[in-house]
């Protein structure tokens, strides 16, 4: 246990955007001895799944002017871009409306963390640890994180910044094809496209932003074969557009807490905006900051209703494609090089010729067989942490340290990120943010939300050190 002479210890599991931003804010805010241990299994912190791509054609899906990691310094990312002018991927003309490569954004997060580290108060330190955290043990005095290489990390608080999980299996059965190298289950890895010849056909299961990434990447490699992209509803993300106008909605709109009332409210706002020449995109962007509050006002039954009936539409309108990406995909679709389907996969089998897929078209009995060289699972991150077979989650569940929310959208927690035990009270020492908070907040997975959560969580974590620790200037050993 830390005492008045040793620093308070905060362990962050996961060094993607969420974990790196909590560390950044801890470094900026801490005035007392503090040791931050940031555990990340990948080689670089700051990237996570979204910003780990090396493809410079994978763009942020939010314009640069809205991607500062500091809500109170909206130009911070633009200033970073100016400082890095000339670096591959930085646009010639840096404008708030520019869409820049996600790879650059990973650099930005890393640089921001490094800057905070360099300017931190004395006795406030950060250790970056490359390890896979596989267990978290709770004793009366401390928390102990175990890594797969046998190391133990002792802390007073732990933040689960574990981010996005790989998607679900396209057919929820233990199929032999899932062990075949021609099926890629976790798409965010550099080897996903290995073995695809220029004329091979490919099946993408999913039509969202991950599928868009692959279409762009295949095109960049000169791939000429047909890309088939399948999703249950056949709903694809819309594109961003410049000059959509601006729209605002009242801070506390008087709306009954039902999903139906919300949808009606949004539709009416869009109609009003449209009559004034404002695009629906401006309305969706105006609604988004209220989404967490609205979600929390809905009962779980209403949230379930939202998930059943509204979610695919909300996501297609809210998570939009960079215009250049949308244009390329439309062009490939018009040439027949990308074919979109709405339906369900019924069969997936690998043989010596490739992978055979049988899909049933939505709303009909019509089946269609495809033979492809590779199948890539682009179904988007799953949310049910209790079914994810990683030792960390298996141990957290077995120890009763986490539970899932009633819809299994994430980890059960209070709105401030305090993790709740299995059917029980707050752990008070274990916290989370980002994707695991989806059940609690709904909108919680992207930078506009994470950059709000990170400083608030840092403040909450440091408020517990205030009671335990003297100011840094009084410390003699750390
Ligand atoms: C393909 C894609 C594109 C996106 N594009 C955008 C965008 O343009 N704009 C936007 O705002 N949002 C975007 N997002 C949303 C994105 O999820 C967030 O912006 C943000 O990157 C989430 O960061 P995170 O740290 O919460 O999660 P993650 O990025 O998933 O990072 C979690 C990290 O934790 C590590 N980790 C997990 N478990 C362990 C463990 N047991 N031990 C050690 N390390 C562990 C992982 O290796 C990973 O690095 C995108 C998401 C995806 C998937």
């Amino acid at each position: 246990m830390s005492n008045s002479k040793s620093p308070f210890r905060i362990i962050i599991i996961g060094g993607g955007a969420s974990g790196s931003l909590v560390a950044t804010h801890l470094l900026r805010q801490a005035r007392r001895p503090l040791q931050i241990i940031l555990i990340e299994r990948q080689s670089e912190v700051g990237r996570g799944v979204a910003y780990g791509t090396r493809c410079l054609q994978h763009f942020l899906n939010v314009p640069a002017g809205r991607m500062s990691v500091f809500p109170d310094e909206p130009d911070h990312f633009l200033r970073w871009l100016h400082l890095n002018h000339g670096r591959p991927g930085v646009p010639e003309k840096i404008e708030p409306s520019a869409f820049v490569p996600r790879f650059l954004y990973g650099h930005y997060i890393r640089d921001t963390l490094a800057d905070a580290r360099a300017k931190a108060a004395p006795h406030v330190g950060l250790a970056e640890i490359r390890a896979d955290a596989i267990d978290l043990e709770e004793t009366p005095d401390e928390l102990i994180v175990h890594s797969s290489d046998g190391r133990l990390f002792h802390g007073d608080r732990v933040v689960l910044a574990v981010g996005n999980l790989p998607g679900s299996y396209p057919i929820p059965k233990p199929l032999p094809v899932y062990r075949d190298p021609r099926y890629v289950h976790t798409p965010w890895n550099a080897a996903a496209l290995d073995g695809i010849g220029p004329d091979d056909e490919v099946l993408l299961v999913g039509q969202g932003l991950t599928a868009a990434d692959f279409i762009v990447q295949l095109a960049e490699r000169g791939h000429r074969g047909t890309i088939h992209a399948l999703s249950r509803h056949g709903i694809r993300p819309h594109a961003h557009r410049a000059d959509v106008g601006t729209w605002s909605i009242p801070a506390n709109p008087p709306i009954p807490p039902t999903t139906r009332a919300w949808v009606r409210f949004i539709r009416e706002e869009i109609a009003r905006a449209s009559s004034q020449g404002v695009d629906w995109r401006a309305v969706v962007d105006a609604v988004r900051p209220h989404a967490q509050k609205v979600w929390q006002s809905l009962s779980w039954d209403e949230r379930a209703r939202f998930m059943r009936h509204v979610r695919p539409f909300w996501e297609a309108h809210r998570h939009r494609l960079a215009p250049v990406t949308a244009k390329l995909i439309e062009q490939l679709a018009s040439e027949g090089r990308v074919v979109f389907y709405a339906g369900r996969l019924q069969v997936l089998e690998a043989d010596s010729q490739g992978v055979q897929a049988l899909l049933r078209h939505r709303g009909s009995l019509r089946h269609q067989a495809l033979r492809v060289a590779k199948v890539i699972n682009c179904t988007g991150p799953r949310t049910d942490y209790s079914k994810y077979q990683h030792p960390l989650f298996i141990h957290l569940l077995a120890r009763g340290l986490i539970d899932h929310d009633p819809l299994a959208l994430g980890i059960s927690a209070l709105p401030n990120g305090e993790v709740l035990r299995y059917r029980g009270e707050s752990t008070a020492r274990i916290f989370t943010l980002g994707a695991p908070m989806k059940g609690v907040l709904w909108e919680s997975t992207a930078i506009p939300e994470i950059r709000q959560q990170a400083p608030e969580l840092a403040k909450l974590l440091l408020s517990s050190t205030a009671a335990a620790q003297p100011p840094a200037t009084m410390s003699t050993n750390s």
Side-chain angles (χ1 to χ4, degrees), residues 212-245:
D213 274 1
F214 280 104
I215 295 172
V216 166
Q217 214 171 340
L218 283 164
E220 196 197 26
R221 290 179 169 209
H223 177 260
R224 298 179 295 262
T226 306
I227 303 170
H228 306 273
L230 165 74
S231 76
R232 283 187 193 164
H233 295 90
I235 299 171
R236 292 191 275 137
H238 287 271
H240 276 280
R241 235 182 65 185
D243 306 326
V244 293

Side-chain angles (χ1 to χ4, degrees), residues 12-21 38-53 58-63 66-67 99-100 102 105 109 129-135 145-147 160-165 187-188 209-211 213 288 318-320 380-381 385 388 390-393 433-436 444-450:
I12 303 171
I13 302 178
S18 294
S20 302
L21 289 183
L38 180 58
I39 302 178
E40 169 56 51
R41 63 162 86 100
Q42 306 290 340
S43 56
E44 288 183 305
V45 301
R47 298 201 173 276
V49 295
Y51 314 120
T53 172
H58 286 165
F59 294 102
L60 290 172
N61 57 25
V62 178
R66 303 212 314 255
M67 283 298 279
F99 287 85
V100 305
R102 298 207 301 268
Y105 199 74
I109 292 180
I129 307 289
R130 187 170 178 204
D132 191 17
I134 55 163
D135 193 6
V145 174
H146 299 237
S147 67
L160 300 173
V162 288
N164 299 288
L165 303 182
W188 309 297
L209 300 178
T210 305
D213 274 1
R288 181 174 168 182
R318 148 82 176 78
H319 301 280
R320 300 194 289 271
Y385 293 79
Y388 181 46
H390 183 280
L392 178 64
F393 296 102
L433 78 163
S444 182
T445 58
I447 293 299
E449 286 77 30
I450 292 168

Side-chain angles (χ1 to χ4, degrees), residues 18 28 41 46 58 89 94 149 183 207 214 220 228 264 275 278 302 307 370-371 378 387 401 407 411 465 471 476:
S18 294
R28 282 164 67 114
R41 63 162 86 100
H58 286 165
I94 298 164
D149 53 11
Y183 168 79
Q207 295 180 350
F214 280 104
E220 196 197 26
H228 306 273
R264 194 182 315 122
S275 69
V278 175
E302 285 298 327
M307 294 305 290
L370 301 171
R371 182 167 284 286
C378 303
K387 288 199 183 136
L401 288 176
L407 294 178
I411 292 176
T465 72
T476 51

